[in-house]
Amino acid sequence: LAGICVIALLTHILLAGQRHKRQLVDLASHDGLTGLPNRRRSVEAATAALQQAVAEHRPLTVGLIDLDYFKMINDRYGHAAGDAVLKDFARIGRELLRTSDFFGRWGGEEFIVVLPDMPLDVAMLSIERLRAAALTIKLPEGPEPMRVSFSAGLATIDSGTKTLDDIIAQADVALYEAKSNGRD
């Protein structure tokens, strides 16, 4: 009887340790607020997608998305409303993007999208659908109404693309161009 109790206890400890390890891995790779993969996990996934696209000579588009005037949303409506916007945007992205696409939180109000087998012109249509859906996110009533919008920069692999840093830098330039041209 004592042996059975010891085996049961050791089994319980082993299973609890494995469950705890899975929780730690999840915490280390996902954003706690949105549930999206975090930046670390996004870099891993984007690097793998880029390597596969280059090896197979297939298209790949990477986008950086930045919610417009997010600080103003937090200042005007409070951080709880800002958090709700981030959660809603994450939900919309998960719903609208293909299962083969990757959508992660890059940091703050920035997100990354990796679109395998998608040339730039088709990716722009996909991001436009996401942009239109973001406009439907509700904000609390306020003296001056606001809406949720975003700016995005897209880049696709080309003969000069060697690393994820190359394509991210190109997407970042396009993002800042979108912001300087009026946002949304």
Side-chain angles (χ1 to χ4, degrees), residues 21-54:
K21 182 179 178 182
R22 282 192 305 273
Q23 289 172 336
L24 288 176
V25 167
D26 188 56
L27 285 172
S29 62
H30 285 82
D31 174 59
L33 179 65
T34 63
L36 292 175
N38 62 16
R39 186 177 184 128
R40 180 176 157 266
R41 176 68 188 109
S42 295
V43 167
E44 291 170 357
T47 299
L50 175 64
Q51 290 171 344
Q52 182 175 3
V54 168

Side-chain angles (χ1 to χ4, degrees), residues 82-159:
D83 287 352
V85 166
L86 294 171
K87 289 177 190 176
D88 284 346
F89 186 68
R91 177 189 50 78
I92 288 169
R94 282 190 297 264
E95 290 172 359
L96 289 182
L97 295 170
R98 304 173 305 175
T99 56
S100 60
D101 298 336
F102 180 87
F103 186 54
R105 187 156 180 208
W106 196 241
E109 69 274 9
E110 289 186 324
F111 297 83
I112 185 170
V113 61
V114 180
L115 308 166
D117 295 318
M118 193 177 289
L120 188 59
D121 57 339
V122 178
M124 289 176 71
L125 295 173
S126 182
I127 295 300
E128 176 55 29
R129 280 193 309 275
L130 184 60
R131 189 197 66 77
L135 294 172
T136 68
I137 295 173
K138 300 287 184 218
L139 290 170
E141 296 292 324
E144 295 178 38
M146 285 185 71
R147 62 190 177 117
V148 176
S149 66
F150 68 76
S151 300
L154 301 176
T156 188
I157 57 175
D158 57 32
S159 60

Side-chain angles (χ1 to χ4, degrees), residues 5 10 53:
C5 288
L10 289 175

